[in-house]
Amino acid sequence: MPTSARTTRTPVSHLLAHAAGAALLVNAVPHGVHGLSGNKFQSPFGRPPGVGESSPETNVVWSGANAIGGAALLFGVGRFRFGANADTVVTLASAWAAGIAISHYFAGVRGTR
């Protein structure tokens, strides 16, 4: 069979890296928004970690670290192919699940649930 006619499957390790990358990119959003708005927000550097609030500057740095890590996993591992394929489905499902989990966690920590 000619190479062009073969379907290329994304290795499971690449799917997992892309899923983790999507979750990190989603996690960058609340930290970046709060930090850029000048508001304190929970971060791993608060006391206690993940519950205590950190400065806006800390959250901007944490947001950037999440964004860099997420982009590195999404675009630096294998080749991310956006389209009607398993890679896109897994990546978007991971982003969606991470968004729900993160919103649920922060609502509980902030007492807004």
Side-chain angles (χ1 to χ4, degrees):
M1 185 181 302
T3 304
S4 61
R6 290 185 196 164
T7 57
T8 307
R9 290 189 179 186
T10 303
V12 173
S13 61
H14 293 183
L15 291 174
L16 293 174
H18 295 166
L24 285 171
L25 289 170
V26 168
N27 192 48
V29 174
H31 294 285
V33 168
H34 281 276
L36 292 172
S37 298
N39 298 320
K40 290 183 176 185
F41 191 66
Q42 286 75 24
S43 84
F45 309 105
R47 290 195 197 335
V51 177
E53 293 181 332
S54 296
S55 70
E57 296 83 5
T58 298
N59 275 287
V60 169
V61 170
W62 184 237
S63 174
N66 275 267
I68 290 167
L73 287 171
L74 189 60
F75 300 113
V77 176
R79 181 173 172 221
F80 178 73
R81 296 170 198 62
F82 187 77
N85 56 51
D87 205 4
T88 300
V89 170
V90 168
T91 301
L92 292 177
S94 176
W96 177 71
I100 290 172
I102 290 167
S103 69
H104 185 73
Y105 174 78
F106 284 130
V109 170
R110 298 178 75 74
T112 58
R113 203 178 319 174

